[in-house]
Amino acid sequence: MTTTGEDHAAARGGPWWWTRWRSAVLDAGLAAGSAAECGAEGVRFARDAGIPAAVGVVFGVLAGSTLIVRRKWPIAVVLVSIAITPAQMGYVMGIVGLYTLAASELPRRIIGALAGMSFLGMLIVMFVRVRQDMQHGTWELGDWFLPFASITTAVGMTAPPVLLGMYVGARRRLMESLRERADSLERELQLLAERAEERAEWARGEERTRIAREMHDVVAHRVSLMVVHAAALQAVARKDPEKAVKNAALVGDMGRQALTELREMLGVLRSGDGRGVRERAAVPLVAVAAAAAAAASRAVDDEGVGEGPCLSDVDELLGQSAAAGMAVDLSVEGETRSYAAEIEQTAYRVVQEALTNVHKHAAGAKTHVRLAHRVSEIAMQVENEPPPELASASAARLPSGGNGLVGMRERVLALGGVFVSGPTDAGGFRVSAVIPAV
């Protein structure tokens, strides 16, 4: 975990303007050394200026102590060092001040101007001082030594701290930039991880929905027919009526129980409660969904022939419903042709689920199934009339989870089609779907 900006500064506590105690101690030590150096030079300055030595020492100590504010006001420190250069003091303060100035975030023109002023001041002072020493006979050298010593001293006192400060400042800015980039990258990675988790959760939800839809298509229709047959058996059995009624009731109870358990399972899957799936993480959701889809395809006919249901199996589907007591007729418009497997499976499932809903909610009602083969689409409609007796709808007491219409809509919309369902003016119910042929 990297820290930059305010977090980086907050992680390092220090007094006043210092970010760390170590920096404060360093500046205090440098200021003490500068004050000692300026105080010692103040004795000579007081003698040359004809003032009491104590005044020169105090002046030097005060001037040298300004180095303690070098991090907060580097320009002021450099200006003070330039101002006391004629007094031949403040060499430590000048070197440290120029270094701090060059390492700061100030514009280069200000750094260059103050460095030039410091160089010029040092050049003039050294020129005067070396000349005085040569005139007093302290040094016996040629005339060439005067400019050489002045320029060399001025460059040596100015260039190294400025260059070193610029290098340290550039390195510091580079490290700060790298730290900010690392922090930004970490935030981006965290955001990507959150988005990946959201996409994973969305994918899990989609797979749960797919499992629910496929298992509903596999089980609901056949179990509904089983319950309808059992109810009819209860009504028409004559040989050994007691045993027949018990067996038929048992079949009906088993069918109702199976549908109830299926509804509960589908409710768990659709509500997003994936605890049971997570506990059995050894079997991925994708594999379960694929297995459910394969089971749905194999469950179309008893023999399991073919890769999945198709429109040619609609006649058999209507025959099963007719055997269960439903009056159903089929009308086909247009030229019959084959479509993609996914389109034919979806069309078959729409008709299958619509007939299942008729068995559940309008037992005995006459039902009309229409298929229309158009140029670029296939349309299907399942419409039932009102049941002849209201009591017949509840005779088999078929449970309903409300997932049938949802599953049909999801299938049709996934192929870019249109799905509409609702009651008719005559009291029946209509399910219509249009699926693009491509």
Side-chain angles (χ1 to χ4, degrees):
M1 181 71 179
T2 58
T3 57
T4 59
E6 296 180 357
D7 295 337
H8 189 62
R12 307 174 299 172
W16 296 336
W17 58 83
W18 288 284
T19 57
R20 292 179 294 187
W21 277 97
R22 185 175 64 182
S23 301
V25 173
L26 176 62
D27 289 354
L30 292 174
S34 177
E37 183 260 335
C38 291
E41 295 290 345
V43 176
R44 180 180 177 180
F45 169 71
R47 184 176 64 250
D48 294 341
I51 59 176
V55 176
V57 172
V58 172
F59 172 75
V61 170
L62 292 177
S65 299
T66 57
L67 191 59
I68 198 167
V69 297
R70 69 182 185 95
R71 297 179 189 268
K72 190 172 182 62
W73 296 298
I75 296 178
V77 173
V78 175
L79 290 176
V80 171
S81 69
I82 295 173
I84 65 176
T85 299
Q88 299 181 11
M89 62 174 65
Y91 299 112
V92 175
M93 182 170 61
I95 294 174
V96 178
L98 287 175
Y99 164 80
T100 306
L101 179 70
S104 65
E105 301 292 338
L106 293 172
R108 293 294 179 86
R109 62 179 182 276
I110 297 178
I111 297 175
L114 291 176
M117 293 172 60
S118 178
F119 171 81
L120 184 60
M122 183 62 63
L123 179 65
I124 295 173
V125 170
M126 289 305 300
F127 185 86
V128 172
R129 182 173 180 178
V130 172
R131 185 176 182 180
Q132 289 176 351
D133 292 339
M134 292 180 66
Q135 289 177 352
H136 293 160
T138 305
W139 294 342
E140 296 292 340
L141 297 171
D143 294 338
W144 62 270
F145 183 75
L146 180 60
F148 174 77
S150 302
I151 295 175
T152 303
T153 304
V155 172
M157 295 288 290
T158 305
V162 172
L163 294 177
L164 180 61
M166 293 178 66
Y167 167 75
V168 172
R171 183 176 181 275
R172 184 182 300 159
R173 287 188 290 272
L174 176 61
M175 295 300 295
E176 188 69 20
S177 175
L178 293 176
R179 186 182 295 112
E180 290 179 356
R181 290 177 61 183
D183 203 27
S184 176
L185 179 60
E186 184 176 1
R187 289 193 297 267
E188 291 179 2
L189 290 177
Q190 184 177 3
L191 181 60
L192 289 176
E194 293 176 356
R195 290 181 177 176
E197 180 62 26
E198 292 177 358
R199 289 194 295 268
E201 185 62 31
W202 175 83
R204 286 193 290 268
E206 288 295 315
E207 290 301 330
R208 283 193 292 265
T209 302
R210 182 184 174 191
I211 294 170
R213 183 171 60 244
E214 298 293 348
M215 296 189 70
H216 183 276
D217 292 339
V218 170
V219 180
H221 180 73
R222 294 189 180 278
V223 175
S224 298
L225 290 179
M226 182 181 65
V227 176
V228 171
H229 280 296
L233 180 62
Q234 286 180 298
V236 301
R238 291 294 180 268
K239 294 181 179 180
D240 198 357
E242 184 177 354
K243 184 176 181 180
V245 169
K246 289 181 180 180
N247 292 338
L250 180 60
V251 173
D253 291 339
M254 291 175 60
R256 285 187 290 271
Q257 183 179 3
L259 286 178
T260 301
E261 292 175 355
L262 175 63
R263 184 181 71 251
E264 294 175 354
M265 180 178 61
L266 297 181
V268 171
L269 291 172
R270 289 188 177 275
S271 66
D273 184 5
R275 291 177 296 177
V277 177
R278 294 190 186 97
E279 291 173 358
R280 295 183 295 273
V283 182
L285 273 175
V286 177
V288 178
S297 299
R298 291 193 302 267
V300 178
D301 48 27
D302 295 335
E303 298 179 356
V305 178
E307 296 181 355
C310 55
L311 290 176
S312 60
D313 298 326
V314 172
D315 291 334
E316 181 181 355
L317 184 66
L318 299 182
Q320 295 174 356
S321 296
M326 176 187 294
V328 56
D329 61 73
L330 172 66
S331 62
V332 180
E333 302 177 4
E335 182 180 356
T336 302
R337 63 183 188 274
S338 60
Y339 301 91
E342 190 174 13
I343 295 176
E344 295 209 8
Q345 291 176 16
T346 300
Y348 179 90
R349 294 300 186 195
V350 170
V351 176
Q352 180 190 55
E353 182 59 33
L355 293 177
T356 301
N357 288 340
V358 175
H359 284 296
K360 290 181 179 180
H361 308 293
K366 187 175 182 180
T367 305
H368 306 277
V369 179
R370 300 181 180 89
L371 295 178
H373 299 273
R374 300 169 185 169
V375 177
S376 59
E377 61 188 16
I378 177 174
M380 64 224 66
Q381 183 182 90
V382 179
E383 180 179 352
N384 64 273
E385 299 177 358
E389 297 180 3
L390 295 179
S392 62
S394 59
R397 300 193 306 277
L398 287 168
S400 176
N403 292 319
L405 294 177
V406 175
M408 285 190 284
R409 180 182 298 275
E410 290 174 350
R411 285 180 177 274
V412 174
L413 295 183
L415 297 178
V418 179
F419 179 84
V420 179
S421 63
T424 62
D425 296 336
F429 197 85
R430 181 188 299 117
V431 172
S432 301
V434 179
I435 304 175
V438 180

